[in-house]
Amino acid sequence: MSMAFLEEAHVNDIGTIFRVTIYDTTSTGGSVIADVSDASTITFTFRRPDGTTFNKTGSLTSDGTNGKVQYTTIDGDLNGAGTWGLQVLIVTSAGLSHNTSVGTFRVFENI
């Protein structure tokens, strides 16, 4: 599974929504939006610029057929400037697990 997201974040932002669209790769090398409606667990793993990681529980943005999941930051999440990594794990109600590719985003300094 791969993902696409676009978000600008700053150090100590609270309420920043990371909305990720999850795609399945087809046998011909293309991609289609993944139906994640049967997700029983959605985990966002963030990798800080120093290499440490932490997990947060995500949610569907609708019924899941649009492939979109999200997480909204709370105090302490975005605690350093630099290039961050993000990967989403979807576990289905049948117990299957799928990790997305790792995406990167930038957390910017404040004045």
Side-chain angles (χ1 to χ4, degrees):
M1 294 185 132
S2 63
M3 67 177 166
F5 66 94
L6 178 63
E7 194 67 50
E8 181 172 322
H10 293 85
V11 173
N12 297 321
D13 277 357
I14 298 170
T16 299
I17 299 171
F18 284 86
R19 191 167 293 124
V20 176
T21 303
I22 299 175
Y23 294 89
D24 275 329
T25 303
T26 66
S27 60
T28 59
S31 62
V32 296
I33 292 175
D35 180 347
V36 294
S37 59
D38 66 342
S40 60
T41 303
I42 301 167
T43 304
F44 280 64
T45 299
F46 290 88
R47 184 181 61 227
R48 296 179 183 99
D50 69 5
T52 60
T53 62
F54 62 96
N55 295 326
K56 294 292 182 168
T57 300
S59 61
L60 298 173
T61 64
S62 64
D63 65 0
T65 58
N66 64 356
K68 294 182 187 297
V69 296
Q70 69 183 20
Y71 170 73
T72 304
T73 61
I74 61 171
D75 188 28
D77 284 347
L78 302 177
N79 59 358
T83 301
W84 288 58
L86 174 61
Q87 185 174 39
V88 177
L89 168 67
I90 302 291
V91 179
T92 68
S93 56
L96 302 174
S97 62
H98 305 282
N99 284 290
T100 65
S101 56
V102 177
T104 58
F105 65 95
R106 189 120 178 101
V107 174
F108 295 93
E109 293 277 353
N110 295 309
I111 295 178

